[in-house]
Amino acid sequence: MSRCAEAAAVAATVPGAGVGSAGLRPPMVPRQASFFPPPVPNPFVQQTRMGAAKRIQVRGVGILLICQRSLTVNVILLLAAMSRANSVFLYICMYFQRTITQRILKFLGHAMFLSMGFIVTVKGRIASPVEAPIFVVAPHSTFFDGIACVVTGLPSIVSRLENVQVPLIGRLLRAVQPVLVSRVDPDSRKNTINEIVRRATSGGEWPQILVFPEGTCTNRSCLITFKPGAFIPGVPVQPVLLRYPNKLDTVTWTWQGYTFLQLVVLTCCQPFTKVEVEFMPIQAPNDEEKRDPVLFASRVRNLMAEALRIPVTDHTYEDCRLMISAGQLTLPMEAGLVEFTKISRKLKLDWDGVRKHLSEYAAIASSTKGGRIGIEEFAEYLKLPVSDVLRQLFALFDRNHDGSIDFREYVIGLAVLCNPANTEEIIQVAFKLFDVDEDGYISEDEFSTIMQASLGVPDLDVSGLFKEIAQGDSVSYEEFKSFALKHPEYAKIFTAYLDLQASHVFSLPEEGQTAPAVASNKVSPESHEESASGKKDD
């Protein structure tokens, strides 16, 4: 018997299991402990609230500061662009190109952030290119994190190819010899990794590389999954921590919150903005981590999170994509957050598969408050009444016992409970169970009889469900299989019923014994006194 079938049998034998009743829930099924909810439900949102005094400051003093700072920043950017343009005359000597020009740009970078009101505190020692060819910077929460590039001496950064085409900014970007990524080139990711490896293992011939391993901005409440790109070369890295210890957060740029322009204006309206850049001890990979960059990335992330005193989660940029998809499906955007890396790795699901489940989930939950599924919506989706068996199935999905199912619980439930039970063998056995007269088709009466017995509801009306499965007056095996594959939730009901039979709940005979007074295909609570005929071997 599969683990899924064991769980179903346990659920089916719990009498009167109520929704959200921890005492009546079945025990934790295998692997459930691996899917505890993340400590930070949504690291991609930020709500900055300003008091009346701050609003007056923004409208009053802020206007003067913006005018003065905008003028200063534009002058500095112009000087930086001129410095970069003049560097063409220095190409004959690589030393000048790497030292004099970059020193000028570094000075102008400091001047620009200072003119915007940033007060930068640097802690720790910056490693040399030979000691640590790669800087890994976290948490990544804003476009102002570019200050880390200035503090580290303008190392090379990984950037989109389109960015170097931007007037002025593109010229400055080229000055740091970036590793460029193309969105249209299918080999871009491979080429980018190869280029990072080539530079990181050059023995100091190339500038250091700075990477934000999270790959997207968060609200600094946790460290999300580190992408392995910076750790694939297997060379020492220096972790760099970023902190913004300000009473009013005007810098965090997430998927929900202030826009780019709003944050620039709000930040420029503040008298000053504190930034702390801390250089941690260099981290060198051991032999196992050289073979497994994901392991190396995880260790470095844990060290950085411990120093920041924040938790880690398995969220990634793919969670952001799912969050946006949830909004497009009229669900709360938070509904799409499932810790994609953990879910995909443990359940063998790709992004397209999870996105498909999100569409299915939205069809059930879009009309509910908060985008969560209750027992009534679950029953309506399955076209079944609320019964003890359905409550037990619902309880298996409801992992936190709160009486509702969120998208994360729905995906885990399908993958851990339903899909493993929805095998070809189970589908065949279930079809034979329904096909009482063994003619290769299931009539509505046959279907109704078994569903009534499975759910323990003698007067159950399943005509609506039957019509959804059948093309005509009866259901063929192919129609039954097609429906079962699209709706694996029903597999739990079938396996629970089959396990009840196997455990002699309905006194089924062993092979070779005389059939009792109950036919295996016509079992129902009311049929115990009927005589058996046409007994089929299970």
Side-chain angles (χ1 to χ4, degrees), residues 88-141:
V88 296
F89 298 106
L90 304 176
Y91 276 129
I92 57 174
C93 182
M94 184 62 72
Y95 173 80
F96 286 109
Q97 207 265 328
R98 283 193 180 182
T99 57
I100 295 179
T101 303
Q102 289 208 337
R103 285 179 182 177
I104 294 173
L105 292 176
K106 182 179 177 180
F107 171 79
L108 293 175
H110 279 289
M112 182 181 71
F113 279 103
L114 181 61
S115 69
M116 296 176 67
F118 283 89
I119 299 177
V120 183
T121 302
V122 179
K123 300 179 180 180
R125 183 183 69 87
I126 304 177
S128 68
V130 175
E131 293 175 308
I134 298 176
F135 296 113
V136 288
V137 185
H140 184 28
S141 62

Tab-separated table of all heavy atoms in Angstrom, residues 88-141:
chain	number	residue	atom	x	y	z
A	88	VAL	N	39.155	56.936	-23.191
A	88	VAL	CA	39.558	56.294	-24.436
A	88	VAL	C	41.001	56.625	-24.779
A	88	VAL	O	41.696	55.845	-25.444
A	88	VAL	CB	38.634	56.715	-25.590
A	88	VAL	CG1	37.233	56.244	-25.357
A	88	VAL	CG2	38.671	58.221	-25.812
A	89	PHE	N	41.444	57.778	-24.293
A	89	PHE	CA	42.824	58.154	-24.562
A	89	PHE	C	43.799	57.386	-23.683
A	89	PHE	O	45.003	57.433	-23.884
A	89	PHE	CB	43.010	59.656	-24.331
A	89	PHE	CG	42.161	60.513	-25.239
A	89	PHE	CD1	41.043	61.167	-24.758
A	89	PHE	CD2	42.479	60.649	-26.585
A	89	PHE	CE1	40.252	61.949	-25.591
A	89	PHE	CE2	41.698	61.438	-27.425
A	89	PHE	CZ	40.581	62.080	-26.928
A	90	LEU	N	43.268	56.710	-22.692
A	90	LEU	CA	44.126	55.982	-21.764
A	90	LEU	C	44.157	54.481	-22.040
A	90	LEU	O	44.753	53.725	-21.297
A	90	LEU	CB	43.643	56.214	-20.326
A	90	LEU	CG	43.561	57.681	-19.880
A	90	LEU	CD1	42.970	57.752	-18.469
A	90	LEU	CD2	44.923	58.335	-19.902
A	91	TYR	N	43.475	54.038	-23.110
A	91	TYR	CA	43.438	52.611	-23.403
A	91	TYR	C	44.818	52.053	-23.742
A	91	TYR	O	45.044	50.850	-23.661
A	91	TYR	CB	42.484	52.330	-24.568
A	91	TYR	CG	41.041	52.215	-24.144
A	91	TYR	CD1	40.059	52.945	-24.792
A	91	TYR	CD2	40.672	51.388	-23.099
A	91	TYR	CE1	38.733	52.857	-24.411
A	91	TYR	CE2	39.345	51.293	-22.702
A	91	TYR	CZ	38.382	52.031	-23.364
A	91	TYR	OH	37.068	51.937	-22.980
A	92	ILE	N	45.740	52.934	-24.159
A	92	ILE	CA	47.073	52.444	-24.502
A	92	ILE	C	47.802	51.931	-23.266
A	92	ILE	O	48.797	51.233	-23.365
A	92	ILE	CB	47.903	53.554	-25.179
A	92	ILE	CG1	47.996	54.771	-24.262
A	92	ILE	CG2	47.318	53.925	-26.529
A	92	ILE	CD1	48.934	55.859	-24.811
A	93	CYS	N	47.280	52.284	-22.131
A	93	CYS	CA	47.908	51.825	-20.886
A	93	CYS	C	46.825	51.291	-19.949
A	93	CYS	O	46.063	52.068	-19.405
A	93	CYS	CB	48.687	52.948	-20.216
A	93	CYS	SG	49.523	52.426	-18.694
A	94	MET	N	46.767	49.972	-19.810
A	94	MET	CA	45.712	49.362	-19.007
A	94	MET	C	45.781	49.831	-17.554
A	94	MET	O	44.768	49.941	-16.877
A	94	MET	CB	45.822	47.836	-19.067
A	94	MET	CG	44.702	47.098	-18.345
A	94	MET	SD	43.076	47.467	-19.085
A	94	MET	CE	43.228	46.538	-20.619
A	95	TYR	N	46.963	50.149	-17.091
A	95	TYR	CA	47.093	50.597	-15.713
A	95	TYR	C	46.285	51.853	-15.463
A	95	TYR	O	45.543	51.954	-14.482
A	95	TYR	CB	48.559	50.847	-15.383
A	95	TYR	CG	48.755	51.471	-14.018
A	95	TYR	CD1	48.720	50.691	-12.870
A	95	TYR	CD2	48.965	52.844	-13.896
A	95	TYR	CE1	48.887	51.261	-11.618
A	95	TYR	CE2	49.129	53.426	-12.650
A	95	TYR	CZ	49.089	52.629	-11.513
A	95	TYR	OH	49.249	53.208	-10.283
A	96	PHE	N	46.393	52.819	-16.378
A	96	PHE	CA	45.648	54.059	-16.214
A	96	PHE	C	44.150	53.807	-16.294
A	96	PHE	O	43.364	54.399	-15.563
A	96	PHE	CB	46.074	55.086	-17.272
A	96	PHE	CG	47.423	55.691	-17.010
A	96	PHE	CD1	48.511	55.370	-17.811
A	96	PHE	CD2	47.610	56.553	-15.953
A	96	PHE	CE1	49.749	55.910	-17.568
A	96	PHE	CE2	48.854	57.107	-15.704
A	96	PHE	CZ	49.926	56.782	-16.511
A	97	GLN	N	43.765	52.936	-17.205
A	97	GLN	CA	42.337	52.683	-17.393
A	97	GLN	C	41.713	52.050	-16.150
A	97	GLN	O	40.560	52.290	-15.836
A	97	GLN	CB	42.141	51.780	-18.622
A	97	GLN	CG	40.797	51.966	-19.312
A	97	GLN	CD	39.763	50.971	-18.835
A	97	GLN	OE1	40.106	49.861	-18.496
A	97	GLN	NE2	38.511	51.376	-18.837
A	98	ARG	N	42.508	51.239	-15.436
A	98	ARG	CA	41.979	50.541	-14.273
A	98	ARG	C	42.145	51.340	-12.983
A	98	ARG	O	41.467	51.075	-12.018
A	98	ARG	CB	42.675	49.191	-14.105
A	98	ARG	CG	42.189	48.131	-15.074
A	98	ARG	CD	42.695	46.773	-14.615
A	98	ARG	NE	42.264	45.718	-15.517
A	98	ARG	CZ	42.533	44.435	-15.317
A	98	ARG	NH1	43.218	44.060	-14.270
A	98	ARG	NH2	42.119	43.524	-16.180
A	99	THR	N	43.073	52.262	-12.980
A	99	THR	CA	43.344	52.965	-11.731
A	99	THR	C	42.844	54.392	-11.742
A	99	THR	O	41.947	54.745	-10.967
A	99	THR	CB	44.852	52.938	-11.425
A	99	THR	OG1	45.573	53.525	-12.528
A	99	THR	CG2	45.336	51.520	-11.202
A	100	ILE	N	43.400	55.219	-12.628
A	100	ILE	CA	43.061	56.642	-12.606
A	100	ILE	C	41.583	56.860	-12.900
A	100	ILE	O	40.866	57.545	-12.151
A	100	ILE	CB	43.943	57.427	-13.608
A	100	ILE	CG1	45.401	57.371	-13.163
A	100	ILE	CG2	43.464	58.876	-13.707
A	100	ILE	CD1	46.355	58.088	-14.090
A	101	THR	N	41.089	56.256	-13.993
A	101	THR	CA	39.686	56.459	-14.374
A	101	THR	C	38.746	55.943	-13.294
A	101	THR	O	37.777	56.609	-12.914
A	101	THR	CB	39.384	55.751	-15.710
A	101	THR	OG1	40.274	56.244	-16.703
A	101	THR	CG2	37.942	56.002	-16.129
A	102	GLN	N	39.041	54.762	-12.765
A	102	GLN	CA	38.142	54.211	-11.758
A	102	GLN	C	38.234	54.957	-10.435
A	102	GLN	O	37.258	55.037	-9.704
A	102	GLN	CB	38.435	52.718	-11.559
A	102	GLN	CG	38.009	51.866	-12.750
A	102	GLN	CD	37.665	50.452	-12.368
A	102	GLN	OE1	38.112	49.962	-11.338
A	102	GLN	NE2	36.857	49.790	-13.180
A	103	ARG	N	39.401	55.516	-10.149
A	103	ARG	CA	39.502	56.333	-8.941
A	103	ARG	C	38.634	57.583	-9.058
A	103	ARG	O	37.996	58.009	-8.096
A	103	ARG	CB	40.953	56.708	-8.680
A	103	ARG	CG	41.788	55.561	-8.121
A	103	ARG	CD	43.223	55.977	-7.908
A	103	ARG	NE	44.030	54.860	-7.418
A	103	ARG	CZ	45.339	54.919	-7.194
A	103	ARG	NH1	45.986	56.070	-7.405
A	103	ARG	NH2	45.980	53.865	-6.755
A	104	ILE	N	38.649	58.153	-10.254
A	104	ILE	CA	37.806	59.334	-10.491
A	104	ILE	C	36.331	58.968	-10.349
A	104	ILE	O	35.548	59.658	-9.682
A	104	ILE	CB	38.082	59.930	-11.887
A	104	ILE	CG1	39.510	60.493	-11.947
A	104	ILE	CG2	37.063	61.029	-12.216
A	104	ILE	CD1	39.917	60.937	-13.329
A	105	LEU	N	35.942	57.857	-10.974
A	105	LEU	CA	34.544	57.436	-10.915
A	105	LEU	C	34.142	57.061	-9.486
A	105	LEU	O	33.022	57.343	-9.060
A	105	LEU	CB	34.323	56.244	-11.846
A	105	LEU	CG	34.430	56.526	-13.350
A	105	LEU	CD1	34.292	55.227	-14.145
A	105	LEU	CD2	33.383	57.527	-13.791
A	106	LYS	N	35.042	56.441	-8.743
A	106	LYS	CA	34.733	56.092	-7.358
A	106	LYS	C	34.519	57.349	-6.517
A	106	LYS	O	33.583	57.422	-5.713
A	106	LYS	CB	35.867	55.251	-6.774
A	106	LYS	CG	35.614	54.791	-5.341
A	106	LYS	CD	36.771	53.942	-4.827
A	106	LYS	CE	36.534	53.546	-3.366
A	106	LYS	NZ	37.659	52.715	-2.838
A	107	PHE	N	35.395	58.364	-6.721
A	107	PHE	CA	35.239	59.629	-5.998
A	107	PHE	C	33.903	60.283	-6.334
A	107	PHE	O	33.179	60.747	-5.444
A	107	PHE	CB	36.393	60.572	-6.347
A	107	PHE	CG	36.202	61.973	-5.832
A	107	PHE	CD1	36.445	62.275	-4.496
A	107	PHE	CD2	35.756	62.987	-6.679
A	107	PHE	CE1	36.247	63.568	-4.024
A	107	PHE	CE2	35.552	64.268	-6.210
A	107	PHE	CZ	35.802	64.562	-4.876
A	108	LEU	N	33.559	60.308	-7.637
A	108	LEU	CA	32.294	60.914	-8.050
A	108	LEU	C	31.091	60.118	-7.524
A	108	LEU	O	30.054	60.691	-7.208
A	108	LEU	CB	32.243	61.019	-9.582
A	108	LEU	CG	33.251	61.996	-10.206
A	108	LEU	CD1	33.195	61.912	-11.723
A	108	LEU	CD2	32.973	63.428	-9.745
A	109	GLY	N	31.254	58.800	-7.424
A	109	GLY	CA	30.179	57.990	-6.867
A	109	GLY	C	29.924	58.321	-5.417
A	109	GLY	O	28.767	58.459	-4.983
A	110	HIS	N	30.984	58.432	-4.640
A	110	HIS	CA	30.836	58.843	-3.240
A	110	HIS	C	30.194	60.220	-3.145
A	110	HIS	O	29.315	60.456	-2.302
A	110	HIS	CB	32.203	58.854	-2.549
A	110	HIS	CG	32.668	57.513	-2.094
A	110	HIS	ND1	32.100	56.851	-1.033
A	110	HIS	CD2	33.654	56.697	-2.559
A	110	HIS	CE1	32.719	55.690	-0.849
A	110	HIS	NE2	33.663	55.574	-1.770
A	111	ALA	N	30.638	61.134	-4.022
A	111	ALA	CA	30.101	62.494	-3.993
A	111	ALA	C	28.608	62.508	-4.329
A	111	ALA	O	27.832	63.260	-3.729
A	111	ALA	CB	30.874	63.376	-4.977
A	112	MET	N	28.203	61.657	-5.265
A	112	MET	CA	26.797	61.628	-5.660
A	112	MET	C	25.916	61.147	-4.510
A	112	MET	O	24.897	61.765	-4.196
A	112	MET	CB	26.600	60.712	-6.877
A	112	MET	CG	25.163	60.667	-7.377
A	112	MET	SD	24.948	59.568	-8.786
A	112	MET	CE	25.134	57.975	-8.001
A	113	PHE	N	26.300	60.038	-3.860
A	113	PHE	CA	25.489	59.546	-2.746
A	113	PHE	C	25.503	60.514	-1.571
A	113	PHE	O	24.494	60.687	-0.885
A	113	PHE	CB	25.979	58.159	-2.320
A	113	PHE	CG	25.474	57.046	-3.185
A	113	PHE	CD1	26.288	56.445	-4.131
A	113	PHE	CD2	24.162	56.599	-3.070
A	113	PHE	CE1	25.814	55.422	-4.937
A	113	PHE	CE2	23.676	55.571	-3.868
A	113	PHE	CZ	24.499	54.989	-4.809
A	114	LEU	N	26.642	61.157	-1.346
A	114	LEU	CA	26.713	62.138	-0.270
A	114	LEU	C	25.794	63.320	-0.563
A	114	LEU	O	25.101	63.823	0.337
A	114	LEU	CB	28.153	62.618	-0.086
A	114	LEU	CG	28.379	63.651	1.034
A	114	LEU	CD1	27.983	63.060	2.391
A	114	LEU	CD2	29.829	64.108	1.035
A	115	SER	N	25.776	63.761	-1.818
A	115	SER	CA	24.919	64.893	-2.188
A	115	SER	C	23.440	64.560	-2.054
A	115	SER	O	22.605	65.439	-1.881
A	115	SER	CB	25.221	65.330	-3.627
A	115	SER	OG	24.783	64.332	-4.557
A	116	MET	N	23.101	63.265	-2.099
A	116	MET	CA	21.710	62.833	-1.925
A	116	MET	C	21.353	62.631	-0.459
A	116	MET	O	20.226	62.276	-0.133
A	116	MET	CB	21.462	61.540	-2.702
A	116	MET	CG	21.604	61.677	-4.204
A	116	MET	SD	21.411	60.085	-5.060
A	116	MET	CE	19.684	59.740	-4.736
A	117	GLY	N	22.314	62.860	0.419
A	117	GLY	CA	22.043	62.764	1.847
A	117	GLY	C	22.414	61.439	2.466
A	117	GLY	O	22.082	61.192	3.636
A	118	PHE	N	23.118	60.568	1.757
A	118	PHE	CA	23.497	59.266	2.302
A	118	PHE	C	24.735	59.403	3.179
A	118	PHE	O	25.754	59.955	2.763
A	118	PHE	CB	23.767	58.261	1.179
A	118	PHE	CG	22.530	57.703	0.546
A	118	PHE	CD1	21.944	58.345	-0.541
A	118	PHE	CD2	21.933	56.559	1.037
A	118	PHE	CE1	20.797	57.841	-1.128
A	118	PHE	CE2	20.786	56.046	0.457
A	118	PHE	CZ	20.207	56.696	-0.633
A	119	ILE	N	24.644	58.891	4.381
A	119	ILE	CA	25.782	58.825	5.300
A	119	ILE	C	26.168	57.360	5.417
A	119	ILE	O	25.422	56.541	5.967
A	119	ILE	CB	25.427	59.402	6.680
A	119	ILE	CG1	25.034	60.878	6.538
A	119	ILE	CG2	26.592	59.252	7.637
A	119	ILE	CD1	24.596	61.515	7.838
A	120	VAL	N	27.336	57.024	4.893
A	120	VAL	CA	27.748	55.629	4.769
A	120	VAL	C	28.762	55.272	5.848
A	120	VAL	O	29.768	55.968	6.023
A	120	VAL	CB	28.361	55.365	3.378
A	120	VAL	CG1	28.716	53.887	3.233
A	120	VAL	CG2	27.400	55.792	2.283
A	121	THR	N	28.484	54.171	6.547
A	121	THR	CA	29.402	53.621	7.539
A	121	THR	C	29.928	52.288	7.019
A	121	THR	O	29.132	51.405	6.654
A	121	THR	CB	28.705	53.407	8.892
A	121	THR	OG1	28.178	54.651	9.355
A	121	THR	CG2	29.674	52.853	9.920
A	122	VAL	N	31.241	52.145	6.970
A	122	VAL	CA	31.854	50.919	6.461
A	122	VAL	C	32.512	50.164	7.613
A	122	VAL	O	33.276	50.746	8.397
A	122	VAL	CB	32.900	51.232	5.368
A	122	VAL	CG1	33.550	49.941	4.860
A	122	VAL	CG2	32.247	51.988	4.210
A	123	LYS	N	32.202	48.870	7.717
A	123	LYS	CA	32.786	48.015	8.747
A	123	LYS	C	33.537	46.865	8.076
A	123	LYS	O	33.126	46.371	7.022
A	123	LYS	CB	31.702	47.447	9.662
A	123	LYS	CG	30.879	48.500	10.401
A	123	LYS	CD	29.816	47.829	11.263
A	123	LYS	CE	28.985	48.864	12.011
A	123	LYS	NZ	27.929	48.209	12.852
A	124	GLY	N	34.612	46.416	8.696
A	124	GLY	CA	35.357	45.282	8.177
A	124	GLY	C	36.389	45.683	7.142
A	124	GLY	O	36.507	46.849	6.754
A	125	ARG	N	37.132	44.681	6.667
A	125	ARG	CA	38.204	44.896	5.699
A	125	ARG	C	37.801	44.355	4.337
A	125	ARG	O	37.282	43.249	4.225
A	125	ARG	CB	39.479	44.185	6.175
A	125	ARG	CG	40.686	44.403	5.269
A	125	ARG	CD	41.881	43.599	5.765
A	125	ARG	NE	41.680	42.166	5.581
A	125	ARG	CZ	41.989	41.510	4.454
A	125	ARG	NH1	42.462	42.149	3.399
A	125	ARG	NH2	41.785	40.199	4.388
A	126	ILE	N	38.054	45.153	3.310
A	126	ILE	CA	37.741	44.735	1.940
A	126	ILE	C	38.824	43.804	1.438
A	126	ILE	O	40.016	44.134	1.492
A	126	ILE	CB	37.614	45.954	1.007
A	126	ILE	CG1	36.569	46.933	1.546
A	126	ILE	CG2	37.255	45.511	-0.410
A	126	ILE	CD1	36.437	48.200	0.716
A	127	ALA	N	38.440	42.640	0.948
A	127	ALA	CA	39.398	41.651	0.449
A	127	ALA	C	39.949	42.078	-0.902
A	127	ALA	O	39.284	42.760	-1.691
A	127	ALA	CB	38.732	40.282	0.335
A	128	SER	N	41.163	41.656	-1.174
A	128	SER	CA	41.786	41.927	-2.475
A	128	SER	C	41.264	40.939	-3.515
A	128	SER	O	40.695	39.898	-3.163
A	128	SER	CB	43.295	41.793	-2.355
A	128	SER	OG	43.651	40.428	-2.131
A	129	PRO	N	41.462	41.232	-4.811
A	129	PRO	CA	40.999	40.295	-5.858
A	129	PRO	C	41.595	38.903	-5.727
A	129	PRO	O	40.939	37.910	-6.068
A	129	PRO	CB	41.447	40.979	-7.153
A	129	PRO	CG	41.518	42.428	-6.806
A	129	PRO	CD	41.985	42.475	-5.385
A	130	VAL	N	42.836	38.796	-5.231
A	130	VAL	CA	43.453	37.481	-5.080
A	130	VAL	C	42.821	36.724	-3.918
A	130	VAL	O	42.603	35.510	-3.989
A	130	VAL	CB	44.976	37.625	-4.867
A	130	VAL	CG1	45.609	36.256	-4.589
A	130	VAL	CG2	45.623	38.269	-6.086
A	131	GLU	N	42.497	37.442	-2.833
A	131	GLU	CA	41.900	36.799	-1.656
A	131	GLU	C	40.477	36.333	-1.914
A	131	GLU	O	40.096	35.224	-1.525
A	131	GLU	CB	41.908	37.781	-0.484
A	131	GLU	CG	43.282	38.128	0.045
A	131	GLU	CD	43.203	39.184	1.125
A	131	GLU	OE1	42.566	40.239	0.895
A	131	GLU	OE2	43.776	38.963	2.213
A	132	ALA	N	39.673	37.186	-2.544
A	132	ALA	CA	38.253	36.869	-2.793
A	132	ALA	C	37.858	37.509	-4.127
A	132	ALA	O	37.570	38.704	-4.176
A	132	ALA	CB	37.370	37.372	-1.666
A	133	PRO	N	37.826	36.745	-5.204
A	133	PRO	CA	37.479	37.309	-6.510
A	133	PRO	C	36.021	37.777	-6.616
A	133	PRO	O	35.682	38.511	-7.541
A	133	PRO	CB	37.741	36.150	-7.474
A	133	PRO	CG	38.627	35.211	-6.734
A	133	PRO	CD	38.244	35.340	-5.299
A	134	ILE	N	35.167	37.341	-5.675
A	134	ILE	CA	33.728	37.637	-5.791
A	134	ILE	C	33.200	38.212	-4.486
A	134	ILE	O	33.478	37.694	-3.405
A	134	ILE	CB	32.934	36.360	-6.163
A	134	ILE	CG1	33.380	35.826	-7.529
A	134	ILE	CG2	31.435	36.647	-6.177
A	134	ILE	CD1	32.711	34.530	-7.926
A	135	PHE	N	32.433	39.305	-4.603
A	135	PHE	CA	31.656	39.841	-3.491
A	135	PHE	C	30.218	39.347	-3.633
A	135	PHE	O	29.641	39.408	-4.726
A	135	PHE	CB	31.630	41.379	-3.503
A	135	PHE	CG	32.954	42.044	-3.300
A	135	PHE	CD1	33.553	42.772	-4.319
A	135	PHE	CD2	33.613	41.956	-2.078
A	135	PHE	CE1	34.769	43.402	-4.137
A	135	PHE	CE2	34.832	42.584	-1.877
A	135	PHE	CZ	35.418	43.310	-2.907
A	136	VAL	N	29.617	38.862	-2.551
A	136	VAL	CA	28.193	38.532	-2.554
A	136	VAL	C	27.509	39.475	-1.566
A	136	VAL	O	27.850	39.499	-0.383
A	136	VAL	CB	27.931	37.055	-2.199
A	136	VAL	CG1	28.352	36.144	-3.343
A	136	VAL	CG2	28.652	36.634	-0.933
A	137	VAL	N	26.555	40.271	-2.060
A	137	VAL	CA	25.943	41.347	-1.290
A	137	VAL	C	24.484	41.027	-1.006
A	137	VAL	O	23.729	40.647	-1.911
A	137	VAL	CB	26.046	42.690	-2.045
A	137	VAL	CG1	25.507	43.826	-1.183
A	137	VAL	CG2	27.493	42.971	-2.452
A	138	ALA	N	24.077	41.178	0.247
A	138	ALA	CA	22.686	40.930	0.648
A	138	ALA	C	22.425	41.664	1.971
A	138	ALA	O	23.365	41.982	2.706
A	138	ALA	CB	22.435	39.425	0.799
A	139	PRO	N	21.163	41.915	2.285
A	139	PRO	CA	19.978	41.718	1.433
A	139	PRO	C	19.886	42.783	0.338
A	139	PRO	O	20.303	43.920	0.543
A	139	PRO	CB	18.827	41.843	2.426
A	139	PRO	CG	19.359	42.707	3.530
A	139	PRO	CD	20.817	42.409	3.636
A	140	HIS	N	19.333	42.384	-0.773
A	140	HIS	CA	19.138	43.300	-1.905
A	140	HIS	C	17.716	43.842	-1.823
A	140	HIS	O	16.757	43.108	-2.002
A	140	HIS	CB	19.356	42.548	-3.203
A	140	HIS	CG	19.270	43.405	-4.429
A	140	HIS	ND1	19.583	44.753	-4.429
A	140	HIS	CD2	18.912	43.104	-5.709
A	140	HIS	CE1	19.426	45.247	-5.641
A	140	HIS	NE2	19.021	44.265	-6.428
A	141	SER	N	17.586	45.140	-1.530
A	141	SER	CA	16.253	45.683	-1.272
A	141	SER	C	15.928	46.956	-2.033
A	141	SER	O	14.800	47.435	-1.952
A	141	SER	CB	16.093	45.967	0.239
A	141	SER	OG	17.036	46.927	0.666
